[in-house]
Amino acid sequence: LIEKNSRGRFLGINRFFWQLVSIAFSFVALSIIKNSENSKIAYSIILMIVVFLQIIRLITYNKIPDQTEKEVIKSKMSHAITEVIKTPVFMSYCCYLFFLTLFTAACPWIINLEQSKYLAFSESQIIFVNTLFFFGNLIGFWLGGYITDKHGTKPVFILAHFSFGTILLLFV
């Protein structure tokens, strides 16, 4: 569906707008909670908004056509899992994903703890740093797509991994 030489830009722009919408939704949710006298009603309204948006998402995604017709292979789930586990690079890939998720998901929390405990940042300073983090994500998603299209996926991921590790070492 998407030309190979523009996939990075397409995915980068998608990620950019996904992050932008999540920031906007956070502000809407905060406004609902702040202006509501009853927190149960506020959370119910937010939940209804989320369900409504998920339904719209499902309808929209179902309108995207399949690029090719897929051959349906019927087999038991246990057989499929066994075949996947037997794949030689599967376990190393799982380890890679585990550590990548562990470090990227845990690092913002660790940095927030360091900011409050060791650097004595106030709450407003921590919020400001996190806001800068989100805007950095937005810029990174946008530019990352263009750089990926220009230089390829592998060099960009290698550079991103080493850059992330270097930045983390600066906090140690």
Side-chain angles (χ1 to χ4, degrees), residues 147-163:
I147 295 170
T148 300
D149 285 341
K150 187 173 183 178
H151 298 289
T153 313
K154 188 174 182 178
V156 172
F157 278 117
I158 290 172
L159 178 66
H161 281 59
F162 281 112
S163 299

Side-chain angles (χ1 to χ4, degrees), residues 58-158:
L58 182 65
I59 292 169
T60 305
Y61 282 2
N62 280 331
K63 290 181 180 179
I64 298 172
D66 281 335
Q67 192 171 10
T68 58
E69 293 295 322
K70 296 178 183 172
E71 180 183 331
V72 178
I73 301 172
K74 293 187 177 185
S75 65
K76 291 183 179 179
M77 180 65 114
S78 59
H79 176 70
I81 291 172
T82 305
E83 289 299 314
V84 168
I85 291 174
K86 287 180 183 178
T87 305
V89 295
F90 179 70
M91 292 311 282
S92 61
Y93 181 69
C94 287
C95 289
Y96 163 75
L97 286 180
F98 170 76
F99 285 115
L100 180 67
T101 305
L102 174 69
F103 288 117
T104 57
C107 285
W109 294 101
I110 292 169
I111 291 170
N112 283 342
L113 288 173
E114 286 186 14
Q115 289 171 351
S116 64
K117 187 173 182 180
Y118 300 112
L119 300 176
F121 279 19
S122 67
E123 287 182 13
S124 61
Q125 288 173 320
I126 293 172
I127 291 170
F128 178 72
V129 170
N130 284 333
T131 303
L132 291 178
F133 175 74
F134 282 120
F135 283 114
N137 277 342
L138 288 174
I139 293 167
F141 296 147
W142 193 280
L143 290 176
Y146 287 102
I147 295 170
T148 300
D149 285 341
K150 187 173 183 178
H151 298 289
T153 313
K154 188 174 182 178
V156 172
F157 278 117
I158 290 172

Side-chain angles (χ1 to χ4, degrees), residues 17-45:
F17 282 107
W18 172 82
Q19 189 76 28
L20 196 63
V21 167
S22 67
I23 291 170
F25 180 77
S26 297
F27 282 117
V28 169
L30 180 65
S31 174
I32 291 171
I33 291 170
K34 191 175 183 180
N35 294 327
S36 177
E37 293 179 17
N38 186 344
S39 62
K40 289 182 181 179
I41 293 173
Y43 289 120
S44 298
I45 291 170

